[in-house]
Amino acid sequence: MHRQPLIKKLLRYTRNLLIFFFASTLLTVIIYRFMPVYITPLMVIRSVQQIFSGDKPTWKHTWVSFDKISPSMPMAVIASEDNRFAEHNGFDFIEIKKAVKENETRKRGASTISQQTAKNVFLWPQSSWVRKGLEVYFTFLIETFWSKERIMEVYLNSIEMGNSIYGAQAAAENKFGTTAAKLTRSQCALIAATLPNPIRFDSANPSPYILKRQKQILRLMNLVPKFPPEEKTTEKKESKSRKKKKR
């Protein structure tokens, strides 16, 4: 007799919890569509790790808008990480099929830039089925509510690019003594070459392996479609010009 009210309570709590989860995550994604992402779970996790190691917690991160990042930077990460970024809806099923086949002999990832952005901004780095499921969910949300340019902007501002270094601006300052806007094509390719493991590999002091990857990325940058597409860039410039004339 007492079980029925208990089950009803549990169902009600579960329903309320699910409503809160979906509402809060949806709101956060919409807010981040417009607001800079100044802190990510990975930054916090790395700081906690530093504390436990007896070091002072620190991270280097400066948010800059997409138009203040070298045009070569998105091209380099697309060439290195996700050739079909502009075409897919967050999941590259061609690469997923290849990964499934190749994982029979060696480990191979197939995460897109959208998936990496979802993980960097909303989740934790350690891989698990729970995190993978949430990654799919957040990838779907950002692909629905954000533009591709916004996804790339957040990605280039939040991704780990060195020890306690996050984003293109911090990488440019600490690795090459410049700004994200002034990064050269070669420097962008070096940064992209280290992304599989930016703690182990250093874009400022590249190993022969990273230099080899840099050459491959520079070659691929000539082959992948321009991002953002030229017509969109032209439309934005015309829109800004019209706004200035009205003023």
Side-chain angles (χ1 to χ4, degrees):
M1 291 294 288
H2 294 288
R3 284 183 182 178
Q4 215 167 15
L6 183 62
I7 290 170
K8 283 183 178 179
K9 276 186 180 180
L10 286 172
L11 288 173
R12 188 166 64 250
Y13 287 144
T14 303
R15 180 201 64 194
N16 291 341
L17 192 62
L18 287 171
I19 290 171
F20 173 77
F21 170 77
F22 287 117
S24 60
T25 52
L26 182 61
L27 180 62
T28 305
V29 168
I30 292 171
I31 289 171
Y32 277 155
R33 167 66 182 84
F34 308 100
M35 179 181 156
V37 181
Y38 292 118
I39 185 170
T40 68
L42 181 61
M43 294 177 193
V44 176
I45 289 167
R46 291 283 189 247
S47 294
V48 171
Q49 289 172 344
Q50 288 167 348
I51 291 169
F52 278 106
S53 299
D55 299 322
K56 184 181 177 181
T58 179
W59 69 64
K60 302 175 184 75
H61 175 247
T62 303
W63 175 277
V64 291
S65 58
F66 188 77
D67 60 358
K68 290 182 180 175
I69 298 174
S70 167
S72 295
M73 197 68 247
M75 296 301 297
V77 295
I78 287 172
S80 172
E81 302 284 299
D82 186 1
N83 294 173
R84 284 175 282 273
F85 171 69
E87 303 165 19
H88 61 62
N89 63 350
F91 307 96
D92 190 338
F93 293 103
I94 295 173
E95 290 300 314
I96 289 170
K97 284 179 183 177
K98 286 181 184 178
V100 170
K101 190 174 181 180
E102 290 183 27
N103 279 343
E104 294 172 5
T105 54
R106 67 183 179 89
K107 194 172 181 181
R108 180 185 190 276
S111 288
T112 63
I113 284 173
S114 300
Q115 287 174 273
Q116 291 179 53
T117 304
K119 179 189 73 175
N120 290 340
V121 176
F122 301 103
L123 302 168
W124 58 95
Q126 283 74 26
S127 185
S128 67
W129 286 110
V130 173
R131 200 215 71 194
K132 277 291 179 185
L134 289 170
E135 186 181 296
V136 169
Y137 169 71
F138 279 108
T139 300
F140 170 76
L141 286 185
I142 65 173
E143 280 281 344
T144 302
F145 292 99
W146 298 3
S147 65
K148 284 287 187 179
E149 190 173 313
R150 177 60 177 176
I151 292 172
M152 180 60 75
E153 181 179 47
V154 174
Y155 176 81
L156 292 177
N157 272 286
S158 63
I159 193 166
E160 192 172 34
M161 291 183 171
N163 189 16
S164 300
I165 296 171
Y166 304 91
Q169 180 67 18
E173 289 174 355
N174 291 276
K175 298 290 186 181
F176 302 106
T178 186
T179 63
K182 293 180 181 178
L183 283 169
T184 66
R185 184 180 171 86
S186 179
Q187 289 168 341
C188 290
L190 271 177
I191 291 171
T194 67
L195 291 186
N197 194 335
I199 304 297
R200 179 184 172 190
F201 302 119
D202 187 356
S203 55
N205 299 289
S207 64
Y209 168 72
I210 292 301
L211 289 172
K212 184 181 177 182
R213 273 184 55 80
Q214 179 200 30
K215 287 180 182 178
Q216 292 171 338
I217 291 167
L218 285 168
R219 180 178 58 81
L220 285 170
M221 285 168 71
N222 294 322
L223 303 175
V224 296
K226 183 174 173 58
F227 184 88
E230 287 184 359
E231 59 269 20
K232 286 190 177 180
T233 306
T234 306
E235 282 174 15
K236 279 196 171 183
K237 285 180 180 177
E238 288 176 353
S239 177
K240 284 182 180 179
S241 179
R242 285 195 296 268
K243 283 179 181 177
K244 284 180 180 179
K245 284 179 181 177
K246 284 180 181 178
R247 288 175 187 172

